[in-house]
Amino acid sequence: MGTRSFAKLFLWLLLCLFGLLGSQLIQATVTYDRKAIVINGQRRILFSGSIHYPRSTPDMWEDLIQKAKDGGVDVIETYVFWNVHEPSPGNYNFEGRNDLVRFIKTIHKAGLYAHLRIGPYVCAEWNFGGFPVWLKYVPGISFRTDNEPFKKAMQGFTEKIVGLMKSENLFESQGGPIILSQIENEYGVQSKLFGAAGYNYMSWAADMAVKLGTGVPWVMCKEEDAPDPIINTCNGFYCDQFAPNKPYKPTMWTEAWSGWFSEFGGPLHQRPVQDLAFAVARFIQKGGSFVNYYMYHGGTNFGRSAGGPFITTSYDYDAPLDEYGLIRQPKYGHLKELHRSIKMCERALVSVDPMVTQLGAFQQAHVYSTEHVGVQTSQMEMLPTNTEMLSWESYDEDVSSLYDGSTFTASGLLEQINVTRDASDYLWYITNVDIGSSEAFLRGGELPTLIVRSSGHAVHVFINGQLSGSAFGTRENRKFTYTGKVNLRAGKNKIALLSVAVGLPNVGGHYETWNTGILGPVALHGLDQGKWDLSWQTWTYQVGLKGEAMNLLSPTSVSSVDWMQSSLVVQKQQPLTWHKAYFNSPDGDEPLALDMEGMGKGQIWINGQSIGRYWTAYANGQCNGCSYAGSFRPPKCQLGCGKPTQRWYHVPRSWLKPTQNLLVVFEELGGDPSRISLVKRSVATVCAEVAEFHPTLKNWHIESYGRAEEFHSPKVHLRCNQGQTISSIKFASFGTPLGTCGTYQQGTCHAPTSYDIIERKCKGKQRCAVTISNSNFGQDPCPNVLKRLSVEAVCAPTGLRV
């Protein structure tokens, strides 16, 4: 019986079996050997993509997962974020963006597997590395070491998640999609630093996880001494030199970094897909059988979830699916072709060991060529919407009336997080100084200097209610010093320091002990008495802002605030100001964002939900072009120098109502809210370039085993987003065109019919395909020359012609 006939018979028998068993689950087995993960007895080469459920919205999940599947992904990987699920001890939240069960079931519905990285430490540039802040205050606790209070809390949360997954039958052993779980995360470096206590903790964590009986393998990434049966795995830009710690474990890459994260004040990072694809191909060629792209969709750090500190609201990561869920070309298409090529060889790759051909003392045959990857390139842009912000109003945070029931006093300077418990980014430090009337600076002398030493992350200095200056740290140097002249007056003066956190640390040895806030010294210099150290004076503290306490961000709050027309405030560029406006939802279904170019630093809410922190800090870096020659590192391919690191902030459409959406902005530095606008992210142009002998799947049938078949001409494919059509053709040339997308030029060889052919086949369509052959373009424009077709097309909303 032929293979296909047998497959049809097997499928028929399987359908009959389903009819007999009804709704019973089919349980599967997941094991491993030295070659691969083994599912139901079959070794598999698996491509995985990281999509973190809290970094997108539930209405986006199905589309993101389907796009990943269409891109050749077999597995969706996610961390589990302890701090969003247990915001206070014993009180759990699995709703909305935190609905982990719904996310895993969405993966299952799409026919994909899941890898659940429970951790529960995640790093992930996430606030406090995923740990809830209350954990820091458990008596006697020490994070991620052989410490009983920590192990008890960690085990409790891990059991909670595993129990939840079991109760919903979500492990593959129960008929669900979860084929792998991870315990701990990138612990190897910390383990060595902690010595015996680190090794004991790691061993305990592994044993604890295995005893939970999930029926699927557990992994530990970057943990070279992970004990059996835990699989140790690799994270990094390249993992072709990695080997597991035992010869009977598979070679797995849990984080193939598709790009890099961005920080406020830093450039954007781009990893060329050619480099990433080569790294993956080389890993597979060296025996690897599992690759997870970190990230496949990075998403958005909504609310105050960004860690670091100083990590941007955008977690785009130069991923194949951008922050808004749109396909990033050519990265998405290039990897898709890679996956298809490798999958065609899957059975051979996981069945036998390769024979390596040496070409010299230091050479082997490794041939990859970018000329044969024929994928689309897309150029995105932010376009205006038909939405106007209606009647801006503003409210000044009253710096002069901080003394109320929410304040307390203490001698000396207190650590910020110990006071706020991360309930707010903001903590006021307030003290008074009495200046004698005989001070020389009051009679025309030089003003005294205030020096404030801060442990992070930003500070705004107010003297008698007026902003005197601001200072900021960076992700690399959280600690900083503010130095500025201060205009004091004779008598009593109020010095109010607003310390601002920009996300809690997420990585580092015992980062739970790191300090934030103003720990001093705080001193006045240049007085007649010389230096006046204010550090141990009596200080008054207030957690958060008055606007936060009055819930100004909520559309349902009722307050006695007297809002005033923003035009009056904008003239003064007033710091510490709340702004609000209403707007209607724009037409269409494109992803939306707020353009915050006219503002400084602060936070954004829409209909009471936090978009996140914004900061239009300008990027410093070395944006000198990008080459994928040699190994890649984040400083190598930088973009956006001299521009705001992040100008646009994702607005999920699911957060909007048809009309009367409330936008609230808190601005720390002063800005012009009338310049804020709602924009839509859209494909502007698409390009494609394919050579006339580009290999296609039809030209390689595994079952053919070399039999001669008719050559199938390749095609160039163009595709705009949903709701768009190709409105015009900017460039088309079949021959030897020059340049790249956006800069194409005709070469010495060009078919005169190129433009007309492409326009006729593509204009007015959402997607099109054009066969690359001499006959399709009338005649061969240059015989005996390898030709290619390069096209650039403009995408526009359906019905709009450009």
Side-chain angles (χ1 to χ4, degrees):
M1 182 182 292
T3 303
R4 293 180 180 174
S5 299
F6 179 81
K8 291 178 180 178
L9 176 61
F10 178 76
L11 179 60
W12 181 80
L13 291 171
L14 190 62
L15 291 172
C16 292
L17 183 63
F18 267 117
L20 292 172
L21 296 179
S23 61
Q24 292 184 1
L25 293 173
I26 294 181
Q27 297 181 347
T29 60
V30 184
T31 58
Y32 63 81
D33 62 18
R34 69 184 185 91
K35 295 294 291 183
I37 295 294
V38 181
I39 303 175
N40 284 335
Q42 295 292 320
R43 290 178 177 144
R44 296 293 309 275
I45 287 181
L46 296 171
F47 293 105
S48 173
S50 290
I51 300 175
H52 296 160
Y53 53 98
R55 282 175 159 146
S56 54
T57 58
D59 71 301
M60 296 172 64
W61 291 344
E62 186 172 352
D63 179 65
L64 293 171
I65 291 166
Q66 185 60 49
K67 286 175 178 173
K69 181 179 181 179
D70 294 342
V73 166
D74 308 291
V75 184
I76 301 298
E77 177 274 334
T78 185
Y79 282 126
V80 180
F81 298 84
W82 187 355
N83 54 7
V84 305
H85 293 306
E86 194 178 7
S88 60
N91 296 311
Y92 292 97
N93 177 4
F94 291 97
E95 299 178 351
R97 297 199 318 277
N98 305 329
D99 193 342
L100 176 59
V101 168
R102 176 178 171 182
F103 183 72
I104 299 298
K105 287 184 175 179
T106 305
I107 295 170
H108 198 194
K109 180 182 176 182
L112 297 181
Y113 298 120
H115 178 199
L116 197 67
R117 301 175 74 185
I118 298 175
Y121 166 73
V122 300
C123 186
E125 291 69 58
W126 191 262
N127 197 53
F128 218 41
F131 289 142
V133 173
W134 58 259
L135 192 68
K136 172 181 166 78
Y137 301 101
V138 172
I141 202 163
S142 183
F143 285 10
R144 304 180 75 200
T145 189
D146 193 8
N147 171 269
E148 291 305 318
F150 179 77
K151 291 193 295 183
K152 180 180 178 181
M154 174 193 166
Q155 181 171 355
F157 179 72
T158 304
E159 290 175 344
K160 174 73 176 181
I161 296 302
V162 170
L164 179 62
M165 297 298 103
K166 283 184 174 181
S167 70
E168 298 287 342
N169 296 313
L170 293 178
F171 287 103
E172 183 76 5
S173 56
Q174 303 173 292
I178 302 173
I179 60 170
L180 293 166
S181 291
Q182 178 178 295
I183 193 70
E184 250 301 335
N185 184 51
E186 298 186 327
Y187 187 65
V189 173
Q190 298 303 318
S191 179
K192 289 181 173 61
L193 290 175
F194 296 159
Y199 181 83
N200 292 341
Y201 164 69
M202 181 274 297
S203 302
W204 167 86
D207 182 65
M208 180 269 291
V210 172
K211 287 180 178 177
L212 293 176
T214 62
V216 303
W218 288 86
V219 305
M220 281 183 164
C221 63
K222 298 181 76 171
E223 186 64 57
E224 61 187 26
D225 53 359
D228 288 355
I230 306 291
I231 307 168
N232 65 303
T233 66
C234 183
N235 293 357
F237 289 113
Y238 306 96
C239 282
D240 54 283
Q241 299 301 315
F242 169 79
N245 60 16
K246 295 292 175 60
Y248 43 80
K249 295 179 182 180
T251 303
M252 301 176 62
W253 191 357
T254 38
E255 291 188 15
W257 297 332
S258 60
W260 203 241
F261 57 84
S262 55
E263 59 192 83
F264 288 118
L268 304 180
H269 303 280
Q270 180 186 57
R271 185 179 187 187
V273 68
Q274 296 92 334
D275 181 77
L276 176 59
F278 176 78
V280 171
R282 189 164 55 177
F283 177 74
I284 298 294
Q285 182 256 342
K286 291 291 187 69
S289 57
F290 182 98
V291 177
N292 175 69
Y293 297 102
Y294 189 99
M295 299 293 297
Y296 199 82
H297 165 72
T300 306
N301 293 316
F302 294 112
R304 298 168 53 246
S305 61
F310 297 98
I311 299 299
T312 58
T313 305
S314 171
Y315 199 65
D316 181 86
Y317 227 90
D318 196 37
L321 302 179
D322 75 7
E323 179 187 359
Y324 301 85
L326 299 179
I327 290 172
R328 170 174 277 120
Q329 296 287 26
K331 185 164 281 188
Y332 176 91
H334 193 132
L335 294 178
K336 179 178 180 177
E337 284 210 359
L338 175 68
H339 302 155
R340 294 172 71 185
S341 300
I342 291 174
K343 286 291 187 178
M344 288 192 293
C345 309
E346 180 179 26
R347 294 181 64 181
L349 288 169
V350 297
S351 298
V352 297
D353 293 325
M355 293 182 62
V356 178
T357 303
Q358 295 293 140
L359 302 180
F362 302 101
Q363 293 178 328
Q364 296 174 342
H366 299 252
V367 180
Y368 303 90
S369 175
T370 62
E371 292 181 358
H372 294 294
V373 180
V375 298
Q376 177 174 296
T377 299
S378 297
Q379 295 184 336
M380 311 299 293
E381 66 180 357
M382 295 299 196
L383 300 174
T385 65
N386 58 353
T387 297
E388 293 184 7
M389 301 296 169
L390 306 175
S391 61
W392 278 103
E393 295 179 294
S394 298
Y395 167 73
D396 291 347
E397 182 82 9
D398 192 354
V399 179
S400 63
S401 60
L402 295 175
Y403 296 98
D404 56 30
S406 65
T407 63
F408 67 94
T409 59
S411 296
L413 298 164
L414 303 180
E415 198 276 336
Q416 181 167 343
I417 306 305
N418 287 339
V419 177
T420 66
R421 302 295 174 101
D422 200 35
S424 171
D425 279 356
Y426 304 100
L427 178 64
W428 283 102
Y429 294 71
I430 307 159
T431 194
N432 293 316
V433 295
D434 288 317
I435 298 297
S437 58
S438 62
E439 285 285 347
F441 77 87
L442 295 173
R443 300 189 303 276
E446 185 177 356
L447 291 175
T449 299
L450 177 67
I451 297 178
V452 179
R453 288 288 306 274
S454 174
S455 294
H457 307 131
V459 67
H460 306 303
V461 177
F462 291 83
I463 305 297
N464 297 322
Q466 299 298 313
L467 180 64
S468 184
S470 302
F472 312 94
T474 65
R475 181 172 170 273
E476 291 74 21
N477 298 289
R478 303 180 313 281
K479 298 180 179 181
F480 63 92
T481 300
Y482 168 85
T483 302
K485 299 293 184 181
V486 286
N487 189 14
L488 302 176
R489 62 196 179 203
K492 187 176 182 179
N493 293 264
K494 180 192 290 186
I495 296 178
L497 310 176
L498 182 59
S499 181
V500 186
V502 193
L504 301 189
N506 59 274
V507 65
H510 284 304
Y511 67 78
E512 74 273 18
T513 65
W514 295 4
N515 291 325
T516 303
I518 300 167
L519 297 183
V522 176
L524 282 169
H525 295 255
L527 300 174
D528 290 352
Q529 69 186 57
K531 173 185 173 183
W532 184 357
D533 193 336
L534 308 177
S535 305
W536 288 101
Q537 287 199 170
T538 297
W539 290 82
T540 298
Y541 294 89
Q542 177 176 286
V543 176
L545 306 166
K546 294 190 73 173
E548 290 178 307
M550 292 186 291
N551 204 22
L552 296 184
L553 54 93
S554 173
T556 59
S557 67
V558 178
S559 68
S560 58
V561 165
D562 291 326
W563 295 86
M564 56 183 167
Q565 293 297 316
S566 279
S567 58
L568 301 175
V569 179
V570 169
Q571 293 173 7
K572 299 186 294 181
Q573 295 285 294
Q574 184 74 17
L576 302 194
T577 303
W578 296 82
H579 304 283
K580 74 172 184 177
Y582 289 89
F583 65 94
N584 298 331
S585 294
D587 299 332
D589 59 2
E590 303 96 332
L592 301 175
L594 283 172
D595 185 344
M596 301 295 291
E597 188 179 29
M599 303 299 284
K601 179 181 182 296
Q603 298 186 36
I604 310 167
W605 297 264
I606 288 184
N607 293 329
Q609 298 200 67
S610 176
I611 292 292
R613 303 181 183 99
Y614 71 89
W615 193 356
T616 54
Y618 285 80
N620 292 312
Q622 299 294 324
C623 298
N624 299 321
C626 184
S627 168
Y628 59 90
S631 60
F632 175 80
R633 290 294 180 269
K636 190 171 184 179
C637 296
Q638 300 183 1
L639 304 172
C641 297
K643 301 177 182 178
T645 300
Q646 187 174 351
R647 173 179 170 182
W648 295 287
Y649 295 79
H650 183 200
V651 177
R653 278 191 178 264
S654 60
W655 291 9
L656 301 183
K657 305 177 296 183
T659 60
Q660 286 294 295
N661 295 286
L662 175 63
L663 168 62
V664 176
V665 175
F666 177 68
E667 169 60 44
E668 298 174 22
L669 302 174
D672 183 357
S674 66
R675 294 177 59 189
I676 297 175
S677 63
L678 192 68
V679 297
K680 57 186 178 183
R681 186 166 177 83
S682 184
V683 173
T685 61
V686 292
C687 298
E689 183 174 15
V690 178
E692 60 180 330
F693 294 110
H694 174 76
T696 68
L697 287 176
K698 290 183 178 180
N699 291 326
W700 185 15
H701 293 286
I702 296 177
E703 296 177 347
S704 299
Y705 293 105
R707 292 200 304 268
E709 291 191 359
E710 179 185 356
F711 177 77
H712 295 269
S713 297
K715 296 180 179 180
V716 67
H717 294 268
L718 296 173
R719 179 179 181 177
C720 296
N721 278 349
Q722 290 293 332
Q724 290 184 317
T725 55
I726 296 171
S727 60
S728 63
I729 305 300
K730 289 185 67 175
F731 180 87
S733 178
F734 176 58
T736 57
L738 306 173
T740 58
C741 185
T743 62
Y744 284 135
Q745 301 177 42
Q746 289 184 14
T748 55
C749 172
H750 169 72
T753 59
S754 300
Y755 182 92
D756 293 338
I757 294 294
I758 301 298
E759 185 177 65
R760 185 169 66 249
K761 291 182 176 292
C762 296
K763 188 173 181 180
K765 298 179 181 179
Q766 191 251 335
R767 58 193 303 177
C768 66
V770 180
T771 301
I772 302 172
S773 65
N774 290 320
S775 59
N776 206 22
F777 289 90
Q779 61 182 10
D780 191 337
C782 43
N784 301 319
V785 172
L786 178 64
K787 293 167 287 296
R788 60 185 179 275
L789 174 61
S790 297
V791 181
E792 181 175 359
V794 176
C795 294
T798 301
L800 180 65
R801 293 289 179 262
V802 178

